[in-house]
Amino acid sequence: MTEQSGQGPALDNLSTESRVFPPSAAFTEAANVGESAYAEADADREAFWAEQASRLSWDTEWSQVLDWTNAPFAKWFVGGRLNVAVNCADRHVEAGHGERVAIHWVGEPGDSRTITYAELTREVCRTANALASLGLVAGDRVAIQMPMLPEAIFAMLACARLGLVHSVVFGGFSSAALRSRIDDAQARVLITSDGQYRRGKPAPMKDNTDEATAHTPSIEHVVVVRRTGSDVRWTEGRDLWWDELVGGQSDVHEAEAFDAEHPLFILYTSGTTGRPKGIQHTSGGYLTQAAYTHHAVFDLKPEQDVYWCTADIGWITGHTYIVYGPLANGATQVVYEGTPNTPHEGRHWEIIQQHGVTIYYTAPTLIRTFMKWGAEIPGRYDLTSLRVLGSVGEPINPEAWIWYRETIGAGSTPIVDTWWQTETGAIMISPLPGVTATKPGSAQRPLPGISAKVVNDAGVEVPHGSGGYLVLDQPWPSMLRGIWGDEERFRDTYWSRYAEQGFYFAGDGAKYDADGDVWLLGRVDDVMNVSGHRISTTEVESALVSHPTVAEAAVVGATDATTGQGIVAFVILRGSATADASTAKTLRDHVAAEIGPIAKPRQILVVNELPKTRSGKIMRRLLRDVAENREVGDTTTLADSTVMDLISSGLKSSA
Ligand code: PRX
């Protein structure tokens, strides 16, 4: 393998990990999916996915399972027609489950709301009628920036019901980030809230969207959910209160069926350039894989389980495993508005105890935070209802994995470490809880119907025990259908690296162990993974150089014990600017304003030079050595090989 410019953490202990945890006989016996699913799918992949698509209600049956003739643009369930929202709400009522709880919503300040499938259906219909009354028609884009409120889910499903394409923007993104996403998608309506509860206090939300919409001519209306009751600025004619707009609408709405390939949503994610990519997903294939994977990986039994995914709807995990997968499966789930330590560090365990949560899906960064807070905190609660634990977003270190199983899962609960991406739409590599003998830190095996390989530079699969790049060598139903408005970038980013073989390049390093199980090793491109959030180094660099005092910046992701990676920035100040005690704070705040607080560098180091190759490319690998306090690696390709000595000695003297 050639040198990786990757940001991936060095997971040193992976090579020595040998513990294996098979499921209990009782779990295997009752599991939704057994070992035979792999062989069944291998025998006829398309027939397998057609069978999974039959879990959904279709208005018109498809005539062809997969059309891959125009690769890399896939068409799944060609000619099929369905309504995604009907599949997530109405059909459960029609099947006699109207009184089943869809959502146990838990507000941060302690308020709550229980929403049955019958109520969910009525709320989605009302919201759909409201959006239609604004003149929106199928294909139009709607931006949503909202905290974790039930209305966010109603809004997403109402869009789906009308064939509108939603673009949910994480609530923590700045007005500048929101603005560029609205502009790129040319959204006609923005849905938001007056404020949100965060760490026990109301915080503004509409202020942020107001700053964005001051410069987004495509936005005709801003629909505002009342949450905190705080004062907001108001633009007459444009701004509409949700309760006034939606409240008076009929709760009956006749849904139209849309083509399986009708766009469902755009979700922006960071790539290797400063400009986020609008990942496009469509309806039939996406919902099929969302529903199947939720059923298979979490072993969901809708009549018995209480499921909880702690993600935010602003990320793909929230889209697929809070909204579309669970609701398509008729699950009962917890949706929590706030932070895990408000009002105390046992909040999650208290919620699990109160609602009898059986399946809990969270991120390694949070598990490591819980570890720091101490095992005695979950020890105070009854967690015996839990039967499956999930992990997503970044490689999970074996220590955190074992802690999760022992402390939260009573030493017996299967852990599913799920690898996937915004682009894949749904889980791709994961243990199956009733089948797989799990290994701490490994996502292990592609799911039935999915094919993934670890290959070398030439695209040849590496032998067991070796590492390389992760590729997906067969199309899958929930695959991205493109990047909004940028076909070339879609081809370049994912399909050009292994064009000859037709592989999708995931951007992750991976290896096979001696058994052929897959271990993910982190990104191999200039994308960082901070608390499971994807942030590109270039995006943070552009934010830094947009500050008047900064001449040049280089950003790396350095291994961080809690967040997986932390952002470390090296900056060169402009001639007239001098570094003082406030420089780092000023620049960190500037990045927060440009992108959002999640992109704030952990550390900012002012330097006089940056290490560059003769062609002018910044050698981040060397900067990462400095950021991680390692001996600096091979500097022979530097244009000026003394630069690293200058940086290292400069930092030592300023430390
Ligand atoms: O590097 C991989 C990492 O997260 C990236 C995808 O990020 P995003 O599109 O934001 O989606 C996150 C939630 C699905 C991947 O390229 N990643 C995600 N899950 C895992 C992971 N790395 C290792 N193990 C995982 N389970």
Side-chain angles (χ1 to χ4, degrees), residues 105-128:
W105 180 77
V106 182
E108 198 191 72
D111 50 342
S112 63
R113 190 169 165 190
T114 307
I115 300 157
T116 63
Y117 273 95
E119 282 174 74
L120 177 68
T121 304
R122 289 195 292 271
E123 294 286 3
V124 173
C125 286
R126 255 190 221 115
T127 313

Side-chain angles (χ1 to χ4, degrees), residues 140 142 230 253 285 371 406 491 561 563 643:
D140 284 346
V142 173
S230 43
H253 175 267
M371 287 171 76
E406 293 298 323
R491 290 180 190 277
T563 59
V643 164

